[in-house]
Amino acid sequence: METTLKTKKEITEEADVFMGSPVKTERGIDSSEPIPEALSIKIEKGNDGNDNQSEASINPVDKITSLKTLGPFIASKDNTRNTRYLSDVPEICLRESCMLGVDEAGRGPVLGPMVYGIAYCPLNSKETLTDLGCADSKELTEEKREVIFDNINTQHYANSCIGWAVEIISPNVISNNMLGRKKCSLNEISMNAAIDLIRAALEAGVNIAEVYVDTVGPPEKYQEKLQKIFPQLQITVAKKADSTFPIVSAASICAKVTRDHSLKVWKFPEGLKLTSKDFGSGYPGDPITRKFLSENVNYIFGFPRIVRFSWSTAQNALSETACVVEFDEPDSEKPKYAGPKLTTFFQSTTKTGEVQREQCRLLKERFLDSVVDF
């Protein structure tokens, strides 16, 4: 049997690849990295029909201006950290009162990022949303969503009055926050992302008057929370808001298209040569995703960082295949004896004036008494 010996440096490098470093912020989720200049990436079809990314970097891209530039922009980012992108604010949105919609994509999958999106336009521009065909992104085909997204960015009748933004929440950040010592639930991560995007739009100068949000949890509590943070805005939180309010539908489309392309251009820092066709949609019920999870488990370090370790699907797969590790937790039990409390020496006197104190443990264990009379 052939044996391969690894140097200490090689082992360290392997560990660094598989172990994601925790990312913390005040809110519990990773702060968005600044948006550096991105590079466009040429996509070629290989002999196997899969989309393969060449290493060639051609045209510098510092913002998303169409569907074509979305993938290259995302591919230039560190996918172990969160990324936020805000489109240019239409001039009309600085002057006229606007409505803003909030929705997410990728909340349920075990693989890939969760993306929160917002879209905004003047209150009197509802007809533009209708002309674009904005509807619940889940009810539209992938091709139709991409056409609408491209039109929002390239057609003058749309980009002159509609702005948008997305927060790409890395699966690595989701895992670190949900499994950290200080737990941060997925609902909390979601709400913080929505709050940060609304705040970012306000800071960019968007004249927001009304906000419509697809709910996370009970809509009444969520709406009350947002209203306290943004008392100057008229906020509506509702179930299935993406199928009720066109502006939320637009946000939903931006979020969904961004997530889809995040998976298409995903780079594995672990060195895996796989495309999105090899790991599927990312949903636990997808047989391709299940196959990916079963075939890509490292015995020591677990899954690649595209996997949300906090999902039960991933945890079950790890329990069957990976090494069992036990961590020593600090003993929470009180010691059997920690000595007399200081307050025992200051007990109040009895009615007769005597001070009743418990006998010293040293004397008690040896059955000795204090002798005061000789």
Side-chain angles (χ1 to χ4, degrees):
M1 183 175 68
E2 186 177 350
T3 304
T4 303
L5 298 178
K6 291 186 177 182
T7 65
K8 183 176 180 182
K9 180 181 179 182
E10 290 174 326
I11 295 173
T12 303
E13 290 175 349
E14 183 179 354
D16 291 339
V17 164
F18 274 91
M19 296 177 67
S21 56
V23 183
K24 286 187 177 180
T25 63
E26 294 179 359
R27 282 192 206 275
I29 66 173
D30 177 41
S31 60
S32 303
E33 64 176 14
I35 303 175
E37 187 174 65
L39 298 175
S40 64
I41 297 175
K42 185 178 178 182
I43 306 297
E44 298 177 346
K45 288 284 185 181
N47 295 329
D48 56 357
N50 289 336
D51 292 338
N52 296 320
Q53 301 168 19
S54 72
E55 296 297 327
S57 299
I58 308 174
N59 299 320
V61 176
D62 59 356
K63 64 179 181 179
I64 301 168
T65 57
S66 65
L67 179 68
K68 187 177 180 180
T69 58
L70 176 62
F73 182 88
I74 297 172
S76 69
K77 305 302 176 187
D78 178 1
N79 58 28
T80 65
R81 298 178 63 86
N82 289 1
T83 297
R84 183 186 304 161
Y85 177 81
L86 280 76
S87 72
D88 291 338
V89 179
E91 186 179 349
I92 193 173
C93 293
L94 300 173
R95 303 190 313 268
E96 297 188 13
S97 297
C98 295
M99 54 184 169
L100 179 146
V102 183
D103 201 8
E104 52 77 24
R107 180 178 171 83
V110 65
L111 302 182
M114 177 173 67
V115 179
Y116 253 81
I118 62 170
Y120 53 86
C121 69
L123 295 174
N124 58 6
S125 298
K126 292 181 181 179
E127 187 176 344
T128 304
L129 298 172
T130 304
D131 293 341
L132 283 167
C134 291
D136 183 1
S137 66
K138 301 178 186 66
E139 301 297 327
L140 300 172
T141 63
E142 181 178 354
E143 292 75 18
K144 183 61 176 176
R145 288 194 298 266
E146 291 185 344
V147 168
I148 295 173
F149 179 85
D150 194 54
N151 287 340
I152 289 175
N153 288 278
T154 60
Q155 298 302 311
H156 179 72
Y157 79 92
N159 61 28
S160 61
C161 64
I162 299 175
W164 61 279
V166 289
E167 177 93 13
I168 305 174
I169 306 173
S170 167
N172 187 55
V173 173
I174 293 173
S175 298
N176 287 338
N177 280 278
M178 293 185 69
L179 296 176
R181 188 174 292 276
K182 185 178 179 181
K183 307 295 182 188
C184 184
S185 70
L186 190 65
N187 279 2
E188 189 176 355
I189 295 173
S190 300
M191 291 179 184
N192 287 338
I195 292 167
D196 288 343
L197 284 173
I198 296 172
R199 186 174 284 125
L202 288 169
E203 291 175 353
V206 182
N207 186 16
I208 303 172
E210 300 175 4
V211 175
Y212 300 91
V213 185
D214 194 48
T215 191
V216 173
E220 299 80 13
K221 291 184 178 180
Y222 193 6
Q223 182 168 322
E224 182 182 358
K225 178 175 182 176
L226 291 176
Q227 200 67 71
K228 286 182 179 178
I229 298 173
F230 305 106
Q232 76 278 24
L233 305 179
Q234 180 183 329
I235 297 176
T236 301
V237 179
K239 294 180 180 179
K240 299 188 180 299
D242 48 354
S243 58
T244 306
F245 306 103
I247 192 63
V248 179
S249 302
S252 178
I253 290 168
C254 292
K256 181 64 175 172
V257 173
T258 300
R259 173 178 155 80
D260 289 344
H261 281 256
S262 295
L263 293 176
K264 288 179 181 179
V265 300
W266 187 271
K267 298 175 185 176
F268 288 90
E270 298 83 7
L272 299 177
K273 302 299 182 182
L274 301 174
T275 69
S276 58
K277 294 181 180 179
D278 298 312
F279 51 76
S281 64
Y283 283 90
D286 187 337
I288 300 177
T289 299
R290 287 186 172 276
K291 182 181 178 183
F292 169 82
L293 292 174
S294 63
E295 294 179 351
N296 292 277
V297 182
N298 182 280
Y299 183 68
I300 301 297
F301 302 111
F303 293 112
R305 279 174 282 187
I306 192 175
V307 179
R308 302 178 190 178
F309 283 70
S310 48
W311 259 236
S312 60
T313 306
Q315 293 177 354
N316 292 338
L318 286 177
S319 64
E320 296 173 0
T321 310
C323 175
V324 177
V325 180
E326 294 183 1
F327 295 93
D328 291 332
E329 294 291 340
D331 189 4
S332 59
E333 295 182 2
K334 294 182 179 180
K336 294 182 179 178
Y337 179 77
K341 294 183 178 179
L342 184 63
T343 53
T344 59
F345 295 97
F346 300 95
Q347 292 177 348
S348 58
T349 59
T350 62
K351 291 182 179 180
T352 59
E354 282 185 42
V355 177
Q356 293 183 338
R357 294 176 181 162
E358 189 176 349
Q359 190 179 26
C360 172
R361 190 182 68 164
L362 178 66
L363 299 180
K364 188 185 297 184
E365 288 178 349
R366 291 163 177 73
F367 303 100
L368 299 175
D369 292 322
S370 298
V371 179
V372 292
D373 295 326
F374 297 91

